[in-house]
Amino acid sequence: MYLKFRSLADLLRTRHPDLASTVSVPDIPPHYVKIDLGDAQSALLAITKIGGIHVWVVTAPGISSRPIILPLNGMSDENLVDTLHAAASAHVQRRSVASPWRWGESEVTPIVQLADQLTANGAVVHNVVGKNHYFLYHHADGWWDPRVGIARTGTRSYLDATYGDFAYRASHHQTLGWRADIYDPRERQWARLADPLGAGDPQGIGKLPDIADLVDVSPEAIAYLACELTTESRWECHDPWSPLDAPPFLAAPDGVRTPDLLEELLPTSHSAVERGAPQELPPDLLVRRVESQLRAFGLADVEWGDASSPLVSHSRYIAWHNSARSMSSSEVQRLNGVAAAEEKQLLVLTRSGLTRPAGQFADKAKALAFQWDAKTGLLFNGNARGTDLLFPCLEDFEMSIGQRSRDMARD
């Protein structure tokens, strides 16, 4: 470990000669790379254990109450010393840590650009998750929680921010583009940005197609949208949805369905009730809750169907799967053929999930799949494309932003 830190110190002197004379490594444990900043202050690069996880940590005066953390594995030596130099230089020059290092990232990406622009616009960016999937949880009082969060977002990067009375997650996918999920702590609802601006707006964004993300849009434009949320009446979102309070029971319109047939399609398990397990939802309520989530995700044309097809859509063939056995790839292929015959894309709603080959086929076919919980009606898992549409886990989101939404909800 001593030799490792010595090599990092040598690399720091080579890459950043402006601070070379102030760099040192102690000869006895604990080992770290130190940049002397004068007045008994210093910037440090060390390995530490936070919440049971070993990470690289960079600290410096004025860096904020939370240090910069980086994963122990997978970080280049160049990135480590550049981050330390950025933190030290910020103190010497009496300015904020330069981007992208201030966000714990090694290079400027669209999500980093958005974080910079949001900060310039007056928003508070709490965490940025890009190539570095490590971040520190907040406490409500602003001090960092001694626990490390590890985001598993696949290929979608994101940031969590607050602006005014709202909190939101803005995310970016390399090919799918941007998405903004807004959380209203007073209404306790998520809403997905649907039609942010009119087609003739000088920002040049225009009306969004159903479920599509913002692709060819600059981070500056996305930041403008996010910060104008509380003041612009032209904002439009897909149907809001609450993960905390169950949506109200809305009975099916008269004559739309025959309850007995719906019960046959989505039977309620009475054996679970007899064993004392939580009771499963009545079929009508299950369908209504699934519908509300799909519409909130952006599938705005989902609506009530009939007893044989509880939900229908003009753009997607919606198939329900109630078996306790995971759907096989052959089943998904058959349903995809039916959907193609109707010139629609497949949407599968399954009680038990998909096998891995089935999920891979569904992704290639550009189908959506979700697993539903019979006791709550909540959608989760599914294939990669379906999982990407889910709203953030509220508990993790609140911890990411310092539980601010719960605090505001109690005000």
Side-chain angles (χ1 to χ4, degrees), residues 156 171 176 178-182 189-195 208-214 236-243 247 286-302 311 315-316 318 347-349 368-373 377-394:
R156 184 173 286 276
S171 61
L176 297 178
W178 294 98
R179 177 182 299 150
D181 291 334
I182 317 300
Q189 289 180 333
W190 281 105
R192 179 157 291 163
L193 184 64
D195 181 16
L208 297 179
D210 203 23
I211 210 171
D213 285 333
L214 298 155
E236 294 182 17
C237 292
H238 291 294
D239 295 352
W241 173 75
S242 172
L286 172 65
V287 173
R288 178 61 76 185
R289 291 188 179 178
V290 169
E291 178 204 22
S292 67
Q293 291 169 83
L294 293 177
R295 292 180 65 87
F297 294 160
L299 292 167
D301 67 346
V302 173
L311 294 178
S315 60
R316 297 198 178 256
I318 302 178
L347 194 165
V348 175
L349 300 168
L368 293 176
F370 299 98
Q371 189 172 348
W372 45 268
D373 188 305
L378 299 183
L379 297 177
F380 63 103
N381 285 348
N383 65 332
R385 296 177 66 88
T387 301
D388 183 62
L389 291 180
L390 299 176
F391 286 111
C393 171
L394 183 58

Side-chain angles (χ1 to χ4, degrees), residues 71 75 104-107 109 111 129-134 157:
M75 302 300 300
E105 294 292 317
S106 59
E107 60 185 71
T109 60
I111 203 68
V129 174
K131 293 187 175 180
N132 176 15
H133 283 197
Y134 282 50
S157 57

Side-chain angles (χ1 to χ4, degrees), residues 18-133:
D18 55 315
L19 296 177
S21 61
T22 63
V23 177
S24 63
V25 175
D27 292 329
I28 59 175
H31 298 303
Y32 48 81
V33 179
K34 175 182 176 182
I35 298 179
D36 187 1
L37 301 175
D39 296 327
Q41 294 182 316
S42 59
L44 299 178
L45 168 65
I47 294 176
T48 189
K49 190 175 183 180
I50 303 178
I53 300 176
H54 283 94
V55 293
W56 290 102
V57 60
V58 175
T59 62
I63 203 173
S64 80
S65 58
R66 297 189 301 156
I68 298 173
I69 63 167
L70 304 166
L72 189 60
N73 298 316
M75 302 300 300
S76 68
D77 290 351
E78 289 78 8
N79 186 22
L80 292 173
V81 301
D82 288 350
T83 304
L84 177 60
H85 177 263
S89 297
H91 177 76
V92 171
Q93 300 172 16
R94 301 182 183 277
R95 57 170 174 79
S96 300
V97 178
S99 186
W101 299 283
R102 65 181 302 186
W103 309 117
E105 294 292 317
S106 59
E107 60 185 71
V108 176
T109 60
I111 203 68
V112 167
Q113 291 178 297
L114 177 59
D116 291 338
Q117 191 63 48
L118 285 173
T119 302
N121 290 358
V124 177
V125 177
H126 298 277
N127 283 304
V128 176
V129 174
K131 293 187 175 180
N132 176 15
H133 283 197

